Amino acid sequence: MAETFTLEIVTPTGVVLSEEVEEVYAPGEEGEFGVLKGHTELIGNLTIGRVHYKSRGTSGEIAITGGYAEVWPDRVNLLVDTALKADEIDLNEAKRELDEAERLLEGLSLDDPDYKKTRDTREFARAKVEVAGRR
Amino acid sequence: MATLSDIKRRIKSVKNTQQITKAMKMVSAAKLRRAQEDIIAARPYADKIQGLVASLSKAAGPETNPLFLKPEPEDGEKTPRLELVLMASDRGLCGGFNSTLIRTAERFIRENSSKEISLNLIGKRAFEHFKDRERVKSRALGIARPSYALAEEIATELMDGYLSDGSDEVYMIYSEFKSAITQRPVVQKLLPITPPKEEEQGEETYEEFIFEPSQQRVLDSLLPKFVVVQVFRALLETAASEHGARMTAMDSASRNAAEMIGHLTLLFNRARQAAITKELMEIIGGAEALKG
């Protein structure tokens, strides 16, 4: 059995998750990265997406918006603006948000001031749909 | 002299008031507890961000990001412009809470009268006081607990103003929550960012760390977050202070009402006794006259 380390997901409104896990996959700014125990010390920017973790046969997923990952050999802290577990997401609501954002995005040009915001909304909606849909 | 029914009416009205102040005290106590929980819940995140900024900014130096140090404007003779954020509450009936904050702001404005000050007011009470001044922006808090989204909105607006050269400095005045009885107004410089000092027992240094994509990129995205976190903390502290102040104010109002009821009851009994005595005198007087 793989060795475990502590995964903590912290948002401005509280600690969302604190658990012993074996593996974590997080969406880094330059692509997804995985962490096992004993990883090199690292600080990385996170983008919107899914955090995936495994521990003792069970696994979990959490949808996050951007933030930071702080990786120590024996623990991982994720500092993010928002983090939602599968049971906190309304799948239909998230699907509706995703459709709405995609529709809006088609009408926006790349240099529209709202473009980035709408794209972020879409990405987060997509992450929520993926997390909730897998339940 | 007040008649019996007059006094009775007054006792009843004071009792009604007391019921209201008691209820308000209970509500504030419940809200205060929630607000304190919010402060505690926000702490881990804020501490982490602060630790990261402290460590990274020491390595990076102040010239690396305009949020630390803005290049001097070329026409150096301009009056410095300062944006002041004042956080107060939407509603009154909370003792000296708002007036203390407003007084602090007034003093701050006097001390910085050489600068061009624009006000950014949060909470209706602050706006009502300063609405006749020039360069005033304001927003109401609403009844909900302060959300991180609200802090983000306020902080983004402040940073945009600062970076687009609308202001040279940003300060905020908020109420620090010490306890339900003590709240202290605080003046804090928000922008340009003063790098926080590292904790004394600094076991958590990030010197050995790899940064992805790069240390500078991480710091650049971290600094705006740091500003938001500070605004968020100030909002939470102010909200907790407001509820604390209201709870204390309503508690003493309830006690004053009880005292007043006691006083009025005494008056009522005295007046009743006087009326009885007077009636007796009349009866005795009448009887005496009949005996005659």
Side-chain angles (χ1 to χ4, degrees), chain A residues 8 10-15 28-31 33 40-45 66-68 70-72 75 77-81, chain B residues 38 41-45 48-49 52 56 148 152 203-206 208-213 217-218 221-223 225 232 236:
Chain A
E8 244 187 22
V10 186
T11 70
T13 47
V15 178
E29 205 173 80
E30 299 186 327
F33 63 93
T40 311
E41 296 167 337
L42 172 129
I43 288 179
N45 283 1
Y68 310 89
E70 195 187 273
V71 181
W72 301 80
R75 64 197 148 97
N77 296 321
L78 303 182
L79 303 173
V80 293
D81 288 346
Chain B
D38 284 348
R43 216 166 268 163
Y45 185 84
K48 285 267 169 225
I49 295 278
L52 274 173
L56 293 187
Y148 189 70
E152 228 171 357
E203 44 176 289
E204 292 202 349
T205 50
Y206 299 97
E208 305 286 308
F209 275 67
I210 299 171
F211 288 89
E212 249 186 42
R217 281 275 292 282
V218 172
S221 71
L222 198 59
L223 287 177
K225 291 255 153 71
F232 187 48
L236 291 178

Side-chain angles (χ1 to χ4, degrees), chain B residues 116-245:
Chain B
E116 185 185 304
I117 299 176
S118 56
L119 291 175
N120 194 333
L121 305 170
I122 297 160
K124 281 184 198 147
R125 292 279 146 174
F127 174 65
E128 270 161 33
H129 184 83
F130 285 113
K131 64 184 166 194
D132 297 329
R133 282 181 60 98
E134 289 168 31
R135 292 186 293 275
V136 167
K137 258 186 297 194
S138 76
R139 73 177 81 223
L141 273 171
I143 43 164
R145 288 186 276 171
S147 65
Y148 189 70
L150 177 68
E152 228 171 357
E153 198 185 305
I154 295 170
T156 309
E157 194 183 295
L158 294 173
M159 284 185 283
D160 284 350
Y162 172 79
L163 291 174
S164 67
D165 216 23
S167 60
D168 298 316
E169 286 171 293
V170 179
Y171 281 82
M172 61 181 178
I173 294 182
Y174 67 95
S175 178
E176 188 186 25
F177 180 79
K178 291 266 190 203
S179 72
I181 311 155
T182 358
Q183 303 89 29
R184 205 167 55 94
V186 178
V187 183
Q188 191 187 334
K189 186 176 186 178
L190 197 61
L191 291 170
I193 294 174
T194 323
K197 292 222 171 55
E198 273 183 288
E199 297 286 309
E200 291 283 311
Q201 65 273 43
E203 44 176 289
E204 292 202 349
T205 50
Y206 299 97
E207 276 158 25
E208 305 286 308
F209 275 67
I210 299 171
F211 288 89
E212 249 186 42
S214 70
Q215 187 159 351
Q216 193 57 48
R217 281 275 292 282
V218 172
L219 184 60
D220 285 347
S221 71
L222 198 59
L223 287 177
K225 291 255 153 71
F226 180 61
V227 176
V228 177
V229 163
Q230 288 186 74
V231 172
F232 187 48
R233 214 201 77 184
L235 284 173
L236 291 178
E237 295 262 349
T238 307
S241 299
E242 179 196 342
H243 296 313

Side-chain angles (χ1 to χ4, degrees), chain A residues 15-90:
Chain A
V15 178
V16 174
L17 181 92
S18 178
E19 221 170 282
E20 286 295 311
V21 300
E22 289 164 3
E23 295 171 39
V24 179
Y25 298 92
E29 205 173 80
E30 299 186 327
E32 186 178 61
F33 63 93
V35 178
L36 296 171
K37 190 180 167 79
H39 196 282
T40 311
E41 296 167 337
L42 172 129
I43 288 179
N45 283 1
L46 296 173
T47 64
I48 303 163
R50 287 180 296 144
V51 173
H52 181 83
Y53 60 90
K54 286 187 189 149
S55 62
R56 302 186 196 287
T58 65
S59 69
E61 285 203 319
I62 289 180
I64 60 160
T65 57
Y68 310 89
E70 195 187 273
V71 181
W72 301 80
D74 60 345
R75 64 197 148 97
V76 172
N77 296 321
L78 303 182
L79 303 173
V80 293
D81 288 346
T82 324
L84 291 172
K85 294 180 189 170
D87 53 10
E88 291 168 330
I89 299 169
D90 181 339

